[in-house]
Amino acid sequence: MEFMPFVPAKAEWRPFVYDLLRSTHVQNAIQSRATGTTSSRQRVQPSSITQLDVLIPPPKRIEQFAEWVGPMYKRRWLNMRQSRTLAEIRDTLLPRLISGEIRVPEAEEAVEEAL
């Protein structure tokens, strides 16, 4: 699998670029430009991406959008990170609790240390 990085002109435009690239219109346009013989070897040329027809709002609107949705994306990222941490703790402690290797007070101590 190959990846093509998309870097906005300004770092604060990331939420807009992220949502633009996730839009159905852009996703369909990218997929329609894929070339290759099999689905595992298909590629999209960067030059064809730069020729996509998309409406880009004025910079001020992009910045307003980023101000509105940026905090939501940050919170989402933090939630995902916390979820991974909690899953790791669960996967580490649950088998040990079930087997009797550790008891609940010891598990509580382990969780406190991990957090």
Side-chain angles (χ1 to χ4, degrees):
M1 179 178 283
E2 294 182 28
F3 296 93
M4 186 182 306
F6 291 86
V7 182
K10 295 182 177 182
E12 60 268 17
W13 292 6
R14 282 188 180 137
F16 173 77
V17 172
Y18 175 74
D19 276 351
L20 177 68
L21 293 171
R22 286 184 52 223
S23 72
T24 302
H25 171 74
V26 172
Q27 287 292 306
N28 290 340
I30 291 171
Q31 290 173 4
S32 72
R33 286 165 171 74
T35 59
T37 55
T38 66
S39 61
S40 65
R41 295 286 182 194
Q42 290 187 332
R43 292 189 171 94
V44 178
Q45 296 298 321
S47 59
S48 69
I49 300 296
T50 61
Q51 296 176 12
L52 290 177
D53 290 327
V54 293
L55 294 174
I56 306 294
K60 184 167 179 70
R61 294 288 182 224
I62 295 173
E63 290 164 11
Q64 285 176 328
F65 178 81
E67 286 176 20
W68 294 333
V69 301
M72 287 185 278
Y73 284 143
K74 183 175 182 177
R75 186 72 204 151
R76 179 178 167 208
W77 180 81
L78 291 171
N79 286 344
M80 288 169 51
R81 194 169 121 197
Q82 183 181 39
S83 178
R84 280 193 302 270
T85 300
L86 292 172
E88 289 173 9
I89 292 170
R90 177 204 61 216
D91 294 345
T92 300
L93 293 178
L94 189 58
R96 294 171 67 194
L97 284 166
I98 291 172
S99 71
E101 183 180 336
I102 62 171
R103 300 202 179 282
V104 171
E106 295 166 328
E108 289 174 343
E109 289 176 25
V111 169
E112 299 249 345
E113 291 172 10
L115 298 176

